[in-house]
Amino acid sequence: MNIPRKHVNDIINHFINNTHLTTKISVYNPGENDRTLLDDDCVLMVIEGYISLVREKDGIIMASFEGPYIIKICSSGVFNKMRLSQDSNFSYITCRRSDFYQYIGEKDLWYSLVQILEYSTWQLYSKIEMMTHGSVYDSVKFYLGKLNSQPALCQKENVCQYIVVRTGYAKSGVMAILNELRKGGYITIVRGKLTGCTKLPNKF
């Protein structure tokens, strides 16, 4: 399932052009406003850049997105247990959640909002399913697919480290699977970066 970028852009552009509802465009500064962005009762609209949510108790990355994207649409205490990663680098605007929903209704943007919520729900379900019922290989396969679908991330991330920080699995175990997939011609890795990925086998 692909990110519904058109719908994300439709909503963000509406809010950017309505200066009465949103704050000015800001740039995330690590260590300065990461707690405020997750703790306040505002919808966070990422315009450009990269954002990762890290679980505070163990440092595992629970979710990551490339802008444009919208998070904190629904009020949830889950964000109180997370922080933004130090390598997050993005520009954003915020809007009070009550004003956000009122404006969505006034401009009849419900369909676009549902598409975003559907994608977010699918992402969450996929991760929970993988973490609760999957093997180490299932996790590696899941994140290889996710990484391969985002070319900008492929150029930026070390593929092994990318998987390790999102699963908590030992680096040696992840590397063993990556090496076997590389030997089988399923993936290509150059200087730690994923440069190619074909259809991966169901079982390892």
Side-chain angles (χ1 to χ4, degrees):
M1 187 174 187
N2 296 322
I3 296 176
R5 295 200 182 278
K6 177 185 180 303
H7 300 292
V8 172
N9 281 321
D10 283 349
I11 290 179
I12 289 179
N13 287 336
H14 268 85
F15 279 89
I16 286 178
N17 293 324
N18 190 324
T19 56
H20 297 293
L21 283 179
T22 56
T23 58
K24 66 178 182 178
I25 296 176
S26 302
V27 176
Y28 169 65
N29 186 359
E32 198 171 281
N33 52 6
D34 54 337
R35 289 304 331 164
T36 302
L37 285 177
L38 295 183
D39 287 347
D40 64 20
D41 192 37
C42 291
V43 174
L44 176 60
M45 290 171 264
V46 178
I47 300 171
E48 288 183 321
Y50 173 78
I51 180 173
S52 287
L53 299 174
V54 179
R55 192 163 61 186
E56 287 195 311
K57 70 176 183 179
D58 53 19
I60 291 178
I61 295 178
M62 299 304 294
S64 57
F65 307 97
E66 283 187 346
Y69 201 67
I70 305 173
I71 65 172
K72 295 178 62 188
I73 295 174
C74 299
S75 178
S76 173
V78 69
F79 291 103
N80 296 331
K81 301 175 183 178
M82 295 187 186
R83 59 177 170 81
L84 297 178
S85 67
Q86 289 294 301
D87 67 338
S88 292
N89 183 11
F90 60 94
S91 57
Y92 66 93
I93 55 176
T94 60
C95 180
R96 286 196 314 174
R97 190 172 288 107
S98 57
D99 293 336
F100 177 83
Y101 277 110
Q102 181 177 342
Y103 189 72
I104 290 291
E106 290 174 357
K107 300 299 179 181
D108 195 22
L109 294 168
W110 291 113
Y111 180 76
S112 290
L113 184 61
V114 167
Q115 296 305 303
I116 297 168
L117 289 170
E118 182 180 17
Y119 175 78
S120 297
T121 302
W122 174 79
Q123 285 276 51
L124 178 61
Y125 172 80
S126 298
K127 178 141 191 172
I128 291 174
E129 183 72 11
M130 178 267 298
M131 292 179 72
T132 55
H133 301 294
S135 62
V136 177
Y137 173 68
D138 290 328
S139 298
V140 171
K141 181 180 176 183
F142 174 83
Y143 282 109
L144 281 174
K146 190 166 184 178
L147 189 59
N148 190 53
S149 68
Q150 302 180 66
L153 272 184
C154 285
Q155 297 174 16
K156 171 187 174 185
E157 298 280 354
N158 176 288
V159 60
C160 182
Q161 186 66 13
Y162 176 84
I163 296 171
V164 167
V165 298
R166 285 161 176 78
T167 61
Y169 292 131
K171 184 177 180 179
S172 58
V174 174
M175 275 303 302
I177 293 173
L178 292 177
N179 286 334
E180 289 301 314
L181 289 174
R182 186 159 51 177
K183 288 177 185 176
Y186 295 102
I187 61 174
T188 305
I189 298 176
V190 178
R191 295 178 181 175
K193 307 295 195 306
L194 183 70
T195 59
C197 182
T198 62
K199 183 175 175 59
L200 300 174
N202 292 327
K203 300 293 182 181
F204 178 69

